[in-house]
Amino acid sequence: MTGQPVKRSYAGAALDYLGARYVGVGPEECSYTIQAIQIPMRDGVELAADFYKPELPDKQAPVGLIMIQCCYGRGAGISFPNARVFAARGYQALFVSTRGTYGSGGTFDPGSNEQSDSQDIVVWMRQQPWYPGSFATLGPSYLGYSQWALLHDPPSDCVAAVIPVGPHDNAWHAWGTGSFRLDRASWSDMMSKRDAERGSFLSRLSSIPGLSFLQSSELEEAVAGLPLEASLQKYFGDKAPWLFEYLKHPNVDDAYWTSRRHHTALERVKIPILLVSGWYDTFTTQTMHQFKYLRARGVNVSLIVGPWTHVQGSGLYSMPEIMDFLAEHLAKSGKYNRSPARVFISGSQEWRSMPTWPPATRPTTLYLQGNRGISSERPAQDASPEETFVFDPLNPTPIIGGNQMSSGGRVDDSAYADRSDVLAFTSEPVSEDIEVLGIPTVHLIHASNPPFADLFLRLSEVDAQGVSHNITDMYRALDPSRDTSQPLKLDLQDCAHRFRVGTRVRLIVAGGCFPMYARSLGTAEDRLRSDKTVPQKHTVTVAGGVSQLILPVGAAV
């Protein structure tokens, strides 16, 4: 079923004008029409879509076609940065709702159908009279995941892709640390209420990605409840059944995840790709992996990383670059005159262009000291031998800022240093600028009693006023059978930060990061299905310099 094309309304034109000013793109070139259509899939399901057609002078063809797949609806808020802004500049755009969402038939099962459905959309597009012979894909977050699913088997007529904050591997995000990432519960709650757009204004707001802080305290209580799975089951009932499938499959290599992992796309794709991320995005680790892997293969891939959270990194602050990228690789009417990597350096608060990421660096070792110090001087063998703390599962160490789904970012995390369940190793003020570019690594001689425990590490900066701000971090559920006489080698997330003269380096060591990850209960029982908890005493050995923070330091600045 296909509707009649509808001209853009005056209200829509006003929204587009104000939105374009906000994202910093040039003036419009035309208006456009929107046509509601249904796209048949191979199994008989039909997907709802809107086709945006620019209103151009006679005989002037659109400059290109953009395909977008989205599970968050097709309303003005989500369609502006993904379709409307391009349609007003001469592009056709096909904006498709994911199976089981917002008018599309079938059942929503996150990540499982995008690979086949996206191929069917392409087959259908090729049969349309308006199809120009090639297309690009675009969209952030889940929309980016849908692009990787398509690129698992890249169509020959797909000529470019713009993928902001987009994961390619759902298993990696859910279970890559060994502990379940609990933003899958808050995201599932949002998606289980996706019909809220027909409800109250508040419920409509709560369904917008990035605004999950409007969710009820009942979900917070459910996430904090034990046993975790049973507590979530009580809250969700028969809603969000996919969440409980996630919980059943902690092994990322389980066959369940096969259709939800698209590393094969990184191995096969050859087209130009623009990646956008933020240092505090939920999927930064995956985006950086994508760039490095594609770059090593010789793919024409570009990277932008700003001081952004997930929502901020979704393309809103990089629209001029996206326009230039599409002008070169789709419209064939311009050039993307930017370096392959453009990153924001926190501390110095500057953007820097680079031929690749990470740049050449030298490892600089800082040693953890007794009395919770950290220094370039190796401590003596007979120095204070160890530092300890206790993690209590019933009062878990909270997450403060960082790479959260709907909030987080760079924040004041000074409170960590005042907690008894945290070790905050802090240096003296640095005497010269230190620029960290890449992945910091921690070598840690660590033991826990009982051995069932997790580690959360964070690199922060303490300013001259004694206020600490986060830079990068990591999380890992530890192997209880590990050899504790050997150092754990733990990589933090990529970062770009300059420690200015007078600031101090801080390494946070904790046993939890709640409610970002399901906490360790301290027992051999399943952390998702047990309510038995045991506090865990963590011991970090520092004597002789066996525990170290290794920073990738750039050339003198």
Side-chain angles (χ1 to χ4, degrees):
M1 182 182 299
T2 300
Q4 292 298 313
V6 177
K7 289 181 177 292
R8 178 177 61 169
S9 67
Y10 289 115
L15 171 66
D16 291 350
Y17 173 78
L18 294 173
R21 287 178 61 87
Y22 179 80
V23 300
V25 295
E28 293 186 355
E29 298 179 9
C30 60
S31 187
Y32 55 83
T33 60
I34 308 173
Q35 184 178 20
I37 56 180
Q38 296 285 323
I39 304 174
M41 300 290 101
R42 68 189 69 177
D43 61 356
V45 165
E46 291 189 340
L47 303 187
D50 292 330
F51 178 61
Y52 290 76
K53 182 179 180 180
E55 293 187 308
L56 298 166
D58 289 344
K59 298 183 180 181
Q60 183 175 332
V63 296
L65 170 65
I66 302 171
M67 170 182 159
I68 310 102
Q69 299 175 76
C70 179
C71 65
Y72 301 123
R74 303 188 309 282
I78 192 74
S79 66
F80 166 74
N82 295 296
R84 300 167 70 99
V85 68
F86 301 102
R89 285 154 185 83
Y91 291 92
Q92 295 175 311
L94 181 66
F95 196 86
V96 186
S97 281
T98 303
R99 176 182 290 248
T101 71
Y102 298 92
S104 287
T107 301
F108 181 57
D109 184 11
S112 64
N113 296 295
E114 281 72 13
Q115 186 176 336
S116 60
D117 283 356
S118 61
Q119 295 290 338
D120 288 355
I121 295 169
V122 172
V123 169
W124 178 86
M125 282 197 310
R126 292 170 179 157
Q127 299 169 354
Q128 306 312 305
W130 43 257
Y131 184 65
S134 65
F135 68 98
T137 59
L138 179 142
S141 194
Y142 196 97
L143 290 69
Y145 168 82
S146 297
Q147 293 181 71
W148 288 120
L150 171 68
L151 296 174
H152 192 106
D153 187 10
S156 59
D157 43 352
C158 181
V159 297
V162 178
I163 308 179
V165 298
H168 62 278
D169 188 332
N170 282 345
W172 185 357
H173 183 69
W175 283 105
T177 65
S179 179
F180 187 66
R181 180 136 180 166
L182 288 169
D183 63 15
R184 298 301 81 199
S186 57
W187 182 83
S188 295
D189 189 46
M190 177 187 71
M191 291 307 300
S192 72
K193 299 173 180 176
R194 55 189 177 272
D195 289 333
E197 64 177 1
R198 292 189 284 272
S200 68
F201 175 71
L202 183 62
S203 65
R204 290 198 303 271
L205 277 180
S206 69
S207 70
I208 297 174
L211 296 185
S212 59
F213 58 82
L214 291 171
Q215 292 171 339
S216 67
S217 59
E218 285 82 1
L219 177 60
E220 295 180 7
E221 294 174 1
V223 168
L226 294 175
L228 176 60
E229 184 180 52
S231 183
L232 291 173
Q233 190 72 67
K234 181 179 179 181
Y235 174 83
F236 280 98
D238 60 358
K239 299 177 182 178
W242 61 83
L243 174 63
F244 300 95
E245 291 300 314
Y246 290 178
L247 296 176
K248 291 176 185 176
H249 299 93
N251 184 348
V252 297
D253 294 321
D254 191 291
Y256 169 79
W257 294 108
T258 301
S259 64
R260 297 165 174 83
R261 310 187 73 185
H262 300 293
H263 193 276
T264 299
L266 303 184
E267 298 171 348
R268 294 177 176 175
V269 70
K270 298 178 181 178
I271 60 174
I273 292 180
L274 174 60
L275 301 173
V276 183
S277 188
W279 293 126
Y280 305 105
D281 173 37
T282 313
F283 302 112
T284 307
T285 298
Q286 292 203 39
T287 299
M288 304 310 279
H289 173 79
Q290 292 158 12
F291 177 78
K292 294 170 189 176
Y293 193 94
L294 294 176
R295 186 79 175 163
R297 283 189 53 226
V299 173
N300 180 0
V301 58
S302 299
L303 173 71
I304 302 170
V305 189
W308 304 322
T309 61
H310 184 66
V311 174
Q312 293 167 339
S314 64
L316 295 177
Y317 296 155
S318 48
M319 193 62 74
E321 290 90 342
I322 292 172
M323 286 288 183
D324 288 349
F325 182 84
L326 291 173
E328 174 173 354
H329 298 295
L330 180 60
K332 309 297 183 183
S333 62
K335 292 292 291 183
Y336 184 76
N337 293 318
R338 290 171 176 83
S339 298
R342 194 168 76 91
V343 304
F344 185 84
I345 314 294
S346 57
S348 61
Q349 306 303 104
E350 64 179 282
W351 284 93
R352 189 172 305 164
S353 296
M354 303 178 181
T356 191
W357 178 268
T361 58
R362 56 180 174 81
T364 298
T365 301
L366 302 178
Y367 299 95
L368 277 58
Q369 312 278 336
N371 299 316
R372 303 187 183 183
I374 190 168
S375 167
S376 58
E377 299 294 325
R378 184 187 292 269
Q381 198 66 42
D382 59 354
S384 299
E386 58 192 30
E387 296 286 342
T388 64
F389 67 93
V390 175
F391 173 79
D392 182 357
L394 297 180
N395 183 27
T397 314
I399 179 63
I400 303 176
N403 298 74
Q404 301 183 54
M405 175 63 77
S406 60
S407 54
R410 183 180 185 271
V411 301
D412 178 350
D413 65 357
S414 306
Y416 276 138
D418 297 326
R419 291 185 62 94
S420 61
D421 57 354
V422 171
L423 299 178
F425 294 93
T426 309
S427 74
E428 294 298 317
V430 300
S431 58
E432 61 181 19
D433 285 5
I434 302 173
E435 194 164 85
V436 180
L437 302 170
I439 296 178
T441 300
V442 174
H443 293 182
L444 208 64
I445 296 292
H446 168 275
S448 63
N449 184 22
F452 309 99
D454 297 354
L455 273 177
F456 171 67
L457 303 181
R458 169 174 285 180
L459 178 66
S460 294
E461 177 194 79
V462 182
D463 64 22
Q465 289 71 45
V467 179
S468 174
H469 288 90
N470 54 306
I471 299 168
T472 185
D473 47 47
M474 63 78 60
Y475 195 91
R476 182 185 293 182
L478 302 176
D479 179 355
S481 63
R482 67 193 183 279
D483 182 354
T484 57
S485 69
Q486 298 300 310
L488 288 168
K489 297 181 179 180
L490 305 166
D491 289 338
L492 280 72
Q493 183 177 275
D494 284 86
C495 65
H497 181 81
R498 185 184 298 181
F499 289 93
R500 292 284 199 176
V501 170
T503 63
R504 290 180 285 167
V505 179
R506 172 169 287 172
L507 180 68
I508 299 292
V509 181
C513 177
F514 187 82
M516 183 176 283
Y517 294 100
R519 71 202 113 163
S520 168
L521 302 182
T523 75
E525 296 183 17
D526 189 328
R527 69 177 66 198
L528 302 181
R529 298 171 182 89
S530 175
D531 60 358
K532 182 184 296 184
T533 65
V534 177
Q536 303 131 49
K537 181 178 181 181
H538 292 249
T539 300
V540 176
T541 301
V542 299
V546 292
S547 292
Q548 308 164 3
L549 167 63
I550 303 169
L551 300 175
V553 175
V557 292

